């Protein structure tokens, strides 16, 4: 019974690792005032002239500006 439980846990870890490593890299950053996402257009890791990455920046609305 113990061997079966260890096998199941190891199988789940391997499946999780496989799914995690197969996802495309997506870079995200944010602060109080902005958020940015940088990801591949095609959905894979390829960064070529035909399929370049794309970045989006969103500025969060500030009611008061401290200058």
């Amino acid at each position: 019974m113990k061997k079966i439980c260890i096998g199941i846990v190891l199988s789940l870890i391997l499946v999780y690792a496989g799914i995690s490593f197969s996802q495309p890299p997506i870079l995200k950053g944010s602060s109080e005032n902005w958020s940015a996402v940088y990801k591949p257009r095609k959905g894979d890791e390829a960064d070529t002239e035909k399929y370049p990455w794309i970045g989006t920046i969103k500025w969060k609305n500030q009611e008061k500006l401290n200058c």
Side-chain angles (χ1 to χ4, degrees):
M1 184 68 178
K2 189 175 180 181
K3 289 182 182 181
I4 293 173
C5 290
I6 292 173
I8 291 172
V9 169
L10 288 176
S11 297
L12 289 174
I13 291 172
L14 288 174
V15 168
Y16 175 77
I19 291 171
S20 296
F21 289 122
S22 67
Q23 299 298 313
I26 297 175
L27 306 174
K28 295 181 181 181
S30 65
S31 75
E32 284 184 22
N33 301 323
W34 59 269
S35 66
V37 178
Y38 189 67
K39 60 184 176 180
R41 286 186 186 179
K42 189 178 176 185
D44 61 6
E45 297 180 27
D47 183 17
T48 62
E49 289 183 20
K50 190 174 180 182
Y51 296 108
W53 284 39
I54 187 167
T56 56
I57 299 174
K58 293 182 182 176
W59 186 262
K60 298 177 184 174
N61 191 6
Q62 266 186 312
E63 292 181 14
K64 295 181 182 179
L65 294 175
N66 296 329
C67 297

